Amino acid sequence: MTIFYRRRPAAWQETAASVIAAASVGALTFYVTRMLLARDAVPAEPPRLEDGQGGRDSRRGARKRLRRSGHPEAGTG
């Protein structure tokens, strides 16, 4: 037995639903593509710092200098 379909004109509700679905898919695709293209590469290793340009030792020295000056943010560390 064969199934037959009779073609009828689409109602405005069906057209509106398809337009909303298509716009949603388009907006989501645009957003995801924009987010993927806006990324920056992150280096695998941090850059090497010269003496006195930062790093753990310079922070420790800065705390000691603050502690000696009596600054309240120096902490007891």
Side-chain angles (χ1 to χ4, degrees), residues 3-74:
I3 298 175
F4 294 99
Y5 293 97
R6 188 175 63 173
R7 189 172 184 166
R8 62 174 174 78
W12 70 270
Q13 294 94 343
E14 295 167 340
T15 304
S18 63
V19 167
I20 290 172
S24 299
V25 169
L28 180 65
T29 303
F30 173 77
Y31 176 74
V32 170
T33 304
R34 185 174 155 229
M35 294 306 293
L36 290 174
L37 292 175
R39 298 180 301 162
D40 287 333
V42 177
E45 295 180 8
R48 293 184 176 251
L49 300 174
E50 300 295 327
D51 291 337
Q53 288 187 346
R56 185 178 183 136
D57 294 332
S58 68
R59 287 193 304 259
R60 190 175 298 139
R63 274 192 230 122
K64 285 181 183 177
R65 284 191 299 275
L66 284 174
R67 209 174 304 132
R68 274 187 256 144
S69 68
H71 198 275
E73 292 183 12

